Amino acid sequence: MSTKKIFHGWWVLLGLCIIYSASNGIVTLSLKRFYPSLIDAFSWTREEVTRPVSIFYLALAVLLPIIGVILDKGNPKRIIITGAVIIVAALTGMSFMENLTQFNLLYIALAIGLAGAGLFSSMYILTQWFHKHRGKAVGILLVGGSLGGALFNKVTGDSIDAMGWQNTFLLLAGIGAVFMILPWLLVVKNNPQEMGLWPDGADEAPKSKITGGVSLAEALKSPTLYVLFIATGILWFCIIGMGQHQDIYLQKELGLSSSIVTNVGSALFLFGVIGKLLFGFLSDQFNKKMVMTGSIGLLILGNLFLYLMGTDPGKWSPYWYAITYGIAYSGVFTMIQIIVAELYYGKAYGKILGIVLTVDTLASVAGIIFLGKKSVADGSYIPAIMTMLILCAVAMITFLLVKTNFSKKPQIA
């Protein structure tokens, strides 16, 4: 009895998951574990130690549209390996850095690397392999990012405690090379046609294509896009800003041990897996605007736990924050992708998504800078966290104004 061979697209998805778990898990989710150690080693302030990551996100905002153009014209697999090599080289360089200028330059290199080996390139390849099962495949890919955060945050924190920050950078460079390069060599292919296959394992080429949908010009003329910019921009201002300062706050201001801070971070990312799966499921069952509103409400609760930990130390467990915030931020991230697709999926979807990502990335930079400067000026993160609470409430109200249905839907021909 013959058995049907597993469609290679699922192996491609597995490979992209592993690559994304390392590129995203190390670069954007785990390097903040170094901040307390770097403050001790170089006597940098909170604003100085987080300044390079602000530059990183600013560079990423500039690079993403460029990568989008290159992906349309070039070989996405080649772009991924180029980015992976740059990431490994930059992590190696961080082990030998001696001043803030070098740290800034190495973070710019990380931005170049992540622009190539991050989510954008993986999504580009994934959309070539999956049409019918694209939603499921994207959900699995995003979960890979959270699992990478949980894994590499734990590895980073424990390794810093065991062998110091310099050796830990070298360890991450080595592990990152294995995670990003081996899957690229073994299973990742640009598209199914390279192997004589069709998307989703179909027996023949798809007979339909998207010919309609909202154009870029129409989207730019509509107030909906700008309301979306405000709502998602505020959310990323809060999420990325607090995410980059979280370990400094917990370890330096609240006095939690390094091991507890590491475990809190890993728990947050593990519950992020639940958030992505939960809100992805809910979005298929209920009104997407209401589901998004629920995820923002949970984000407010997570920020409230963070605030209460500072105002009444010892009473509130940091794991309450990890659970609620982990589910919430992943839910928000997932719902933003779904809402943008709901509104703009069609002939201009990629261009519009690129603009939304750029706006959100710039907002992330502002959030990181704001928390750094305000916490230094106030001598505490508490006032800044209260500001985040208020801003999240504003984002929730703003998002309720987003129009979630267009009369001009994509046409299938």
Side-chain angles (χ1 to χ4, degrees), residues 20-101:
Y20 181 52
S21 73
S23 63
N24 185 67
I26 293 174
V27 176
T28 66
L29 300 180
S30 299
L31 295 190
K32 59 187 174 59
R33 284 302 298 120
F34 287 95
Y35 296 164
S37 297
L38 295 177
I39 289 174
D40 293 338
F42 297 104
S43 299
W44 292 337
T45 67
R46 297 168 177 178
E47 187 275 329
E48 286 174 331
V49 79
T50 55
R51 186 187 303 161
V53 78
S54 301
I55 297 172
F56 163 85
Y57 279 109
L58 185 61
L60 201 58
V62 174
L63 289 165
L64 286 175
I66 299 173
I67 291 296
V69 173
I70 296 174
L71 282 169
D72 281 335
K73 296 182 178 180
N75 183 321
K77 185 176 175 182
R78 188 177 301 159
I79 293 171
I80 287 178
I81 193 60
T82 302
V85 170
I86 293 172
I87 288 173
V88 171
L91 290 172
T92 302
M94 283 182 171
S95 177
F96 301 98
M97 67 181 176
E98 297 177 345
N99 54 58
L100 193 57
T101 299

Side-chain angles (χ1 to χ4, degrees), residues 115-159:
L119 182 61
F120 207 165
S121 299
S122 291
M123 283 288 294
Y124 194 92
I125 291 178
L126 205 61
T127 56
Q128 309 302 310
W129 281 91
F130 295 95
H131 291 179
K132 180 180 178 182
H133 298 292
R134 184 177 295 165
K136 185 188 301 181
V138 169
I140 294 171
L141 178 63
L142 294 180
V143 165
S146 291
L147 290 175
L151 171 63
F152 289 108
N153 184 79
K154 179 68 172 173
V155 169
T156 302
D158 289 349
S159 298

Side-chain angles (χ1 to χ4, degrees), residues 97-113:
M97 67 181 176
E98 297 177 345
N99 54 58
L100 193 57
T101 299
Q102 293 174 356
F103 198 27
N104 287 329
L105 292 173
L106 288 166
Y107 248 115
I108 292 174
L110 285 178
I112 297 171

Side-chain angles (χ1 to χ4, degrees), residues 214-287:
V214 179
S215 69
L216 178 59
E218 290 170 327
L220 291 173
K221 291 177 182 177
S222 169
T224 298
L225 184 61
Y226 300 96
V227 175
L228 194 67
F229 285 161
I230 295 171
T232 63
I234 290 174
L235 290 170
W236 284 118
F237 178 95
C238 297
I239 291 172
I240 301 299
M242 196 64 248
Q244 290 300 319
H245 286 270
Q246 168 190 298
D247 290 15
I248 303 174
Y249 172 62
L250 295 178
Q251 191 166 331
K252 290 296 184 181
E253 186 164 327
L254 300 189
L256 299 180
S257 69
S258 177
S259 61
I260 290 178
V261 175
T262 296
N263 291 337
V264 167
S266 292
L268 187 149
F269 296 129
L270 283 175
F271 279 95
V273 174
I274 296 174
K276 287 173 180 175
L277 295 175
L278 173 64
F279 282 94
F281 170 79
L282 292 175
S283 71
D284 287 337
Q285 306 299 319
F286 303 100
N287 180 281

